[in-house]
């Protein structure tokens, strides 16, 4: 389909499906860094969970990857292509390869569920046919397939504002998967949901990404959920990475380092 | 629910039919209008020249005309707008009270009040001005009355809505304490609708400044009188001064209203 | 908000000399402005007598020139319809360009200035300029009302866009959608209902004004109305006024229906 980009420079020793972040800094206000020298490599598939206290720049990091937030310095290589240097059309084409799931779902409330899914294809459809809702047949067919998978087929032509939180996030995930992304980013996908729904959403993401071999990077404040679903945990504190390893290596002392204090661990 | 999953369309057939009929109606009305309306093409070819001519006649702007002949009528315009708004409020408050269903419990009176409000709004301010020029003779009085009568509908309607939205709690408390009707209004309703009231009054004053600028074209006083005189003499450099002063005053009025509204609301 | 309001209620409990001074000042102003504008009780009473005579001369309405009335009224309708159509089409991009949350300052600033200029002049004044530019007739009226429509819809549309949820826009942007797709899927669905409301309101307003621009020679029934006034044909004036009010009321009902269909 929209297969590998043959023109991208693939650096030696790197998997084609890879995200490499080098020396990434972000300052919203000059001289006040939110992210400090982030170095990170995500290759292959599976879920990587970023944990850390609020305000430590997890969300900024995720948003820097698809440039919803402009990085101040550094490189973000997706399949060997530096996203930081891209502008205009090239940036939009890069964004098509990065799926994103949002904390507050960010569905277009007044559009139907199926239209929200098709939003994932907007990078591929020209404005005029998109305005007339003339999407390619295979896109529409795939949207219905995905709706079936996430169990919302009967809601296809209902407006997104009629759905519950969990249902909305399912649509959000399906929309991201519609992009056929090379990587899936999720910014606190479960924070607005109850515990049971949260687990279901994490399962759904794992399943959909797993079947398609898409790596997932998820920002999560719930350490238990992160441990349960991720194969790799990244702990952030004060704008830097302080832990990087598999979940079973994450000990209380790491959590103390990440979140500070210890009473909450009891 | 969905006949075929491959074929998704945005609207149901019925919705599409209704929409299509409206689209068709709109396009038909447009085509009909465009074909019928009388446009003289010769005038249109001439338009660039005319515009160039207009601009060249407007420039240089006759600034010295402002202090001698524009300033006084500009002030008059502002007085017409302000006094007209004040009279409107005096007239619209009782009508608004009659129109508010939670205050006036008589449907007949409600409808009577609504009729007054609707008739006030349906007649354009210039028509009101023409009527009052016929009644009071040319001059600012006709303009002031035109502004006042034209605005009753607007102010009265919004006032009635504000009254209907007032919380019954404080009013019931006053009534329970045996307060007379007048104190229920001043101590119960007035504090609640006060922000809305000032906001409506300011908003209408802003509109009235714009409207009062044209009343002079039909002889109802204000800067329109000067505009009419300069135009009939083709003194476009004077017209330019008048237009610039209208623009400035309207902009200033808008700034004043925005600032005051911020303080009030 | 509620704190501020209750605060004011408390303040109103005791006599507020500042407020009283304000009322006195208002009264003084009314007297002053009234004398300046020559608005006096005597003139009002005399006017009432005139008014009675005037109304007497209006009835019965003159129905001998219905054909003229009909053709002029049709022209007013045509002016309103064409002006609304083009005004709406033009105000879409202008409003979009003026939305400060989507556009950079160097774009919004000129767009907002343009809207401000369109808004500050009464359609009748704009019509005067167009009469000079394109001659007497309906075209001048159409152009004047297009300007008025851009001013009104453009401003409200820009404000509506400034109130949208940017989260929904962000999600569409994140999918790599080009700018126009972000607008049609991220922005328009959020503002379309309100936009249609503004457009139908503007159709109403254009209809009202299209009956007026004729006063300065820009087509429609206004010219006939003005002429009838000047010739003291008050019975014909009455017929025209009844026709205008009837058309405006019918239009109000029609535009309400239109709003419901396109919600």
């Amino acid at each position: 389909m929209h297969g590998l980009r043959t023109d991208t420079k693939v650096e030696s020793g790197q998997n084609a499906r890879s995200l490499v972040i080098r020396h990434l800094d972000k300052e919203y206000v000059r001289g006040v860094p939110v992210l400090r020298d982030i170095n990170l490599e995500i290759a292959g598939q599976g879920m990587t969970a970023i944990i850390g206290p609020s305000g430590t720049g997890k969300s900024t990091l995720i948003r820097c990857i698809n440039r919803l937030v402009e990085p101040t310095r550094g490189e973000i290589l997706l399949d060997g292509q530096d996203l930081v240097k891209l502008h205009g059309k090239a940036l939009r084409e890069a964004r098509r390869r990065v799926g994103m799931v949002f904390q507050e779902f960010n569905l277009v409330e007044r559009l139907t569920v199926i239209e929200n899914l098709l939003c994932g294809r907007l990078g591929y459809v020209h404005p005029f046919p998109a305005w007339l809702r003339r999407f390619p047949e295979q896109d529409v067919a795939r949207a219905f397939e995905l709706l079936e998978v996430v169990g919302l087929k009967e809601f296809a032509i209902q407006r997104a504002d009629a759905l519950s939180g969990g249902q909305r996030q399912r649509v959000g995930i399906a929309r991201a998967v519609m992009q056929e992304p090379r990587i899936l980013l999720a910014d606190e996908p479960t924070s607005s949901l109850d515990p049971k729904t949260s687990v279901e959403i994490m399962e759904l993401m794992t399943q959909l990404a797993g079947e398609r071999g898409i790596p997932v990077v998820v920002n999560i404040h719930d350490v238990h959920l992160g441990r349960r679903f991720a194969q790799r945990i990244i702990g952030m504190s004060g704008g830097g990475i302080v832990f990087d390893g598999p979940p079973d290596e994450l000990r209380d002392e790491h959590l103390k380092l990440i979140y500070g204090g210890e009473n909450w661990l009891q | 629910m969905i006949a075929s999953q491959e074929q998704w369309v945005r609207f149901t057939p019925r919705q599409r039919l209704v929409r299509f009929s409206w689209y068709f109606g709109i396009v038909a009305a447009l085509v009909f209008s465009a074909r019928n309306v009388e446009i003289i093409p010769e005038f249109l070819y001439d338009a660039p020249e005319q515009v160039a001519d207009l601009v060249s006649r407007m420039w240089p702007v006759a600034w010295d005309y402002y202090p001698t002949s524009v300033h006084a009528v500009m002030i008059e315009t502002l007085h017409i707008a302000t006094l007209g708004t004040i009279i409107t409020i005096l007239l619209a408050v009782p009508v608004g009270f009659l129109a508010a269903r939670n205050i006036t419990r008589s449907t007949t009176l409600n409808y009577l009040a609504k009729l007054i409000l609707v008739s006030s709004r349906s007649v354009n301010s210039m028509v009101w001005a023409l009527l009052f020029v016929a009644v009071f003779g040319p001059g600012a009085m006709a303009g002031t009355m035109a502004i006042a009568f034209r605005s009753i509908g607007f102010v009265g309607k919004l006032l009635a809505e504000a009254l209907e939205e007032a919380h019954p709690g404080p009013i019931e408390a006053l009534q329970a304490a045996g307060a007379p009707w007048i104190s229920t209004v001043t101590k119960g309703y007035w504090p609640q609708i006060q922000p809305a009231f000032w906001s409506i009054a300011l908003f209408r004053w802003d509109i009235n400044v714009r409207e009062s600028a044209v009343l002079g074209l039909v002889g109802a006083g204000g800067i329109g009188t000067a505009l009419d005189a300069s135009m009939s003499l083709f003194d476009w450099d004077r017209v330019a001064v008048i237009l610039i002063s209208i623009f400035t005053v309207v902009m200033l009025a808008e700034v004043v209203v925005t600032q005051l509204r911020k303080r009030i609301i | 908000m509620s704190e501020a309001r209750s605060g004011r209620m408390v303040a109103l409990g005791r006599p507020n000399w500042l407020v009283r001074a304000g009322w006195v000042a208002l009264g003084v102003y009314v007297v002053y402005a009234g004398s300046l504008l020559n608005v006096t009780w005597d003139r009002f009473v005399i006017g009432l007598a005139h008014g009675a005579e005037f109304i007497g001369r209006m009835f019965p309405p003159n129905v001998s020139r219905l054909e003229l009335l009909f053709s002029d009224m049709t022209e007013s309708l045509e002016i309103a319809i064409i002006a609304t159509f083009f005004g709406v089409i033009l105000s879409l991009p202008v409003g979009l360009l003026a939305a400060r949350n989507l556009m950079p300052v160097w774009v919004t600033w000129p767009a907002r200035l343009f809207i401000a200029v369109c808004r500050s002049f009464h359609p009748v004044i704009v019509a005067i300029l167009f009469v000079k530019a394109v001659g007497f007739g309906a075209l001048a009226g159409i152009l004047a009302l297009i300007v008025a429509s851009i001013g009104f819809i453009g401003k409200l549309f820009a404000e509506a866009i400034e109130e949208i949820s940017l989260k929904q826009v962000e999600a569409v942007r994140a999918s790599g959608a080009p700018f126009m797709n972000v607008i049609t899927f991220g922005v328009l669905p959020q503002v379309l209902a309100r936009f249609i409301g503004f457009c139908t309101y503007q159709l109403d307003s254009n209809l009202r004004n299209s009956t007026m621009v004729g006063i300065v020679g820009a087509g429609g029934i206004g010219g006939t109305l003005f002429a009838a006034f000047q010739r003291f044909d008050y019975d014909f004036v009455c017929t025209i006024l009844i026709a205008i009010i009837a058309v405006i009321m019918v239009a109000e009902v029609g535009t309400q229906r239109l709003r419901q269909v396109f919600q």
Side-chain angles (χ1 to χ4, degrees):
Chain A
M1 305 202 48
H2 309 282
L4 286 171
R5 290 170 58 99
T6 47
D7 57 336
T8 44
K9 187 181 71 180
V10 178
E11 294 193 3
S12 57
Q14 277 176 8
N15 190 311
R17 279 178 187 274
S18 70
L19 173 74
V20 181
I21 297 174
R22 285 194 193 128
H23 308 297
L24 179 70
D25 291 331
K26 172 65 191 173
E27 299 168 357
Y28 287 102
V29 181
R30 190 182 276 272
V32 188
V34 178
L35 294 178
R36 261 186 282 229
D37 196 29
I38 301 281
N39 287 285
L40 194 60
E41 193 164 324
I42 289 158
Q45 48 170 305
M47 185 178 282
T48 306
I50 304 175
I51 60 170
S54 343
T56 195
K58 291 177 300 189
S59 198
T60 303
L61 173 57
I62 288 267
R63 272 151 204 271
C64 276
I65 296 174
N66 61 357
R67 297 263 307 273
L68 286 178
V69 167
E70 283 301 319
T72 309
R73 269 178 299 277
E75 287 179 344
I76 297 167
L77 302 161
L78 180 67
D79 300 347
Q81 185 188 29
D82 189 355
L83 302 185
V84 178
K85 293 202 180 76
L86 299 181
H87 294 286
K89 195 162 193 283
L91 173 62
R92 291 201 300 271
E93 280 175 4
R95 276 183 180 154
R96 302 196 304 210
R97 293 182 283 138
V98 182
M100 182 132 178
V101 176
F102 296 86
Q103 175 179 354
E104 287 167 40
F105 330 124
N106 295 19
L107 302 184
V108 185
E109 304 272 320
R110 283 170 164 274
L111 291 182
T112 58
V113 168
I114 190 80
E115 282 170 310
N116 267 290
L117 254 69
L118 288 167
C119 277
R121 301 306 294 173
L122 282 179
Y124 297 92
V125 183
H126 281 287
F128 192 63
W131 182 55
L132 294 174
R133 307 297 194 263
R134 298 258 161 80
F135 285 87
E137 256 173 48
Q138 71 263 28
D139 285 356
V140 178
R142 236 161 45 77
F144 275 105
E145 272 169 45
L146 264 171
L147 265 189
E148 181 129 47
V149 174
V150 301
L152 291 171
K153 199 170 168 195
E154 64 272 31
F155 292 97
I157 56 167
Q158 292 204 12
R159 257 170 46 169
D161 51 12
L163 302 183
S164 71
Q167 290 170 330
R168 284 180 196 210
Q169 195 57 297
R170 285 163 183 274
V171 176
I173 293 167
R175 172 175 67 188
V177 173
M178 278 298 288
Q179 283 175 239
E180 295 178 330
R182 311 280 295 155
I183 187 164
L184 188 61
L185 308 174
D187 184 19
E188 299 277 7
T190 59
S191 301
S192 310
L193 302 171
D194 63 69
K196 177 168 166 286
T197 317
S198 297
V199 171
E200 288 166 8
I201 288 295
M202 292 302 280
E203 276 169 349
L204 181 68
M205 259 199 312
T206 313
Q207 176 208 336
L208 284 175
E211 286 166 357
R212 287 162 178 77
I214 308 169
V216 181
V217 180
V218 57
N219 243 340
I220 198 153
H221 70 281
D222 185 332
V223 182
H224 298 287
L225 266 186
R227 268 194 163 138
R228 180 165 158 193
F229 286 96
Q231 287 81 55
R232 179 178 170 190
I233 301 273
I234 290 170
M236 279 182 71
S237 182
I241 293 175
V242 293
F243 174 87
D244 187 350
D248 46 3
E249 282 176 22
L250 184 69
R251 310 252 177 269
D252 280 1
E253 58 261 37
H254 296 127
L255 290 176
K256 249 182 271 172
L257 184 63
I258 295 168
Y259 291 97
E262 51 191 89
N263 290 341
W264 62 278
L265 283 169
Q266 308 307 312
Chain B
M1 279 187 85
I2 299 145
S4 155
Q5 57 164 254
E6 306 275 313
Q7 285 173 353
W8 159 76
V9 283
R10 201 174 166 193
F11 301 110
T12 64
R14 197 186 130 70
Q15 275 177 318
R16 265 185 300 165
L17 189 70
V18 173
R19 274 175 178 251
F20 182 78
S21 334
W22 272 105
Y23 286 138
F24 183 79
I26 291 168
V27 171
L30 188 68
V31 170
F32 173 82
S33 305
R35 288 176 65 112
N36 271 289
V37 81
E38 208 174 316
I39 290 169
I40 302 161
E42 284 74 24
F43 281 180
L44 203 52
Y45 303 141
D46 196 28
E49 269 172 52
Q50 289 293 333
V51 173
D53 180 52
L54 184 65
V55 173
S56 73
R57 277 159 181 263
M58 278 184 165
W59 196 263
V61 175
W63 294 112
D64 55 337
Y65 187 58
Y66 183 82
T68 58
S69 306
V70 183
H71 185 73
V73 278
M74 191 78 230
I75 298 298
E76 188 176 76
T77 305
L78 286 173
H79 283 311
I80 291 175
T82 314
L83 193 60
T85 311
I86 293 171
I87 297 175
T88 288
I89 292 168
L90 294 179
L91 297 172
V93 166
V95 185
F97 270 87
L98 285 181
R101 276 167 306 208
N102 57 340
I103 297 179
T104 307
R105 305 270 177 198
S106 150
T107 326
T108 326
L109 284 178
N110 291 156
Y111 275 110
L112 185 69
K114 293 235 159 89
L115 185 71
I116 296 174
L117 298 182
V118 170
S119 1
S120 150
R121 277 187 302 139
S122 300
V123 179
N124 197 294
S125 54
M126 292 199 62
V127 177
W128 276 119
L130 282 167
L131 292 173
F132 283 117
V133 167
V135 171
F136 297 117
M141 180 161 178
T144 312
M145 294 318 263
I147 289 292
F149 274 75
R150 161 72 177 172
S151 316
I152 291 176
F154 180 94
V155 176
K157 179 170 181 264
L158 293 179
L159 202 61
E161 280 168 11
L163 284 168
E164 283 176 0
E165 278 166 22
H167 287 288
I171 292 124
E172 279 163 9
L174 282 164
Q175 282 165 346
W181 184 82
I182 188 74
S183 15
T184 340
V185 170
T186 53
K187 298 276 176 358
Y189 284 106
W190 173 242
Q192 290 197 54
I193 63 157
Q194 202 191 16
F197 173 82
W198 290 118
S199 165
I200 296 164
L202 283 170
F203 190 28
R204 189 64 220 185
W205 179 74
D206 188 23
I207 297 173
N208 284 346
V209 170
R210 276 160 229 241
E211 299 233 308
S212 56
V214 293
L215 296 177
L217 294 173
V218 295
I223 199 164
T225 325
L227 185 62
D228 195 36
S230 306
M231 268 190 336
S232 37
L233 298 170
F234 301 106
D235 283 337
W236 290 101
D237 51 347
R238 294 182 170 184
V239 172
V241 174
I242 294 168
L243 291 185
I244 292 170
S245 27
I246 293 177
F247 180 73
T248 315
V249 166
V250 166
M251 283 290 118
L252 285 177
E254 193 165 322
V255 171
V256 167
V257 165
T258 327
Q259 291 304 320
L260 283 176
R261 273 168 70 110
K262 268 188 209 156
R263 303 257 170 96
I264 291 163
I265 301 166
Chain C
M1 183 72 202
S2 63
E3 285 159 83
R5 220 176 253 185
S6 60
R8 191 172 285 125
M9 282 167 76
V10 172
L12 272 175
R14 39 197 153 76
N16 188 333
W17 292 107
L18 207 66
V19 170
R20 290 188 182 182
W23 287 114
V24 170
L26 194 69
V28 170
Y29 171 79
V30 169
V31 173
Y32 165 73
S35 66
L36 202 74
L37 299 182
N38 210 2
V39 180
T40 58
W41 187 249
D42 290 351
R43 282 188 72 191
F44 187 75
V45 174
I46 298 167
L48 283 184
H50 274 295
E53 189 199 328
F54 175 69
I55 289 170
R57 287 178 61 181
M58 279 175 107
F59 289 95
N62 180 342
V63 288
S64 62
R65 277 175 287 178
L66 281 188
E67 209 166 303
L68 175 67
L69 176 74
F70 183 76
S71 76
D72 281 350
M73 202 68 210
T74 319
E75 190 173 55
S76 276
L77 276 170
E78 288 163 357
I79 292 173
I81 290 168
I82 298 175
T84 310
F85 179 80
F86 287 105
V88 165
I89 294 212
L90 291 171
S91 61
L92 261 168
V94 174
L96 195 61
L97 291 178
R100 279 172 294 198
N101 54 349
L102 295 183
M103 294 290 166
V105 176
W106 58 269
V107 177
T108 57
W109 198 82
R112 298 179 81 80
L113 182 71
F114 179 64
I115 290 175
V117 173
C118 288
R119 261 165 50 79
S120 29
F121 293 112
H122 194 281
V124 172
I125 293 182
V126 183
I128 292 172
L129 297 177
F130 278 119
V131 165
K132 163 71 179 155
V134 300
F136 289 100
L139 183 62
I142 292 172
L143 293 172
L145 294 185
I146 288 176
V147 168
S149 308
I150 294 175
F152 181 82
I153 307 179
K155 176 172 191 266
L156 293 180
F157 188 44
E159 281 170 4
I161 294 176
E162 284 173 358
E163 285 166 17
I164 62 172
S165 146
L166 282 176
K167 288 184 171 164
Q168 304 177 24
V169 180
E170 184 186 44
V172 180
R173 264 176 67 211
S175 75
F179 180 76
M180 280 316 294
N181 280 354
V182 176
I183 299 297
T184 50
F185 276 74
V187 178
L188 281 189
Q190 297 192 56
V191 292
L192 202 61
R194 291 183 68 189
F195 182 70
I196 288 165
F198 303 149
C199 294
T200 51
Y201 183 84
Q202 187 60 32
L203 179 61
D204 261 4
S205 156
N206 280 349
L207 194 61
R208 280 157 211 247
N209 284 324
S210 72
T211 61
M212 283 305 101
V213 287
I215 290 178
V216 293
I221 200 162
T224 317
L225 178 66
F226 194 34
F229 260 108
Q230 284 180 322
R231 284 198 307 264
F232 308 105
D233 283 345
Y234 293 136
D235 47 355
F236 190 41
V237 165
C238 181
T239 321
I240 298 174
L241 287 184
I242 291 171
I244 290 178
I245 293 172
V247 166
I248 285 170
M249 289 201 170
V250 169
E252 237 182 66
V253 175
T255 47
Q256 266 172 14
R257 288 279 155 77
L258 196 65
R259 233 165 304 189
Q260 285 159 5
V261 171
F262 288 95
Q263 269 312 309

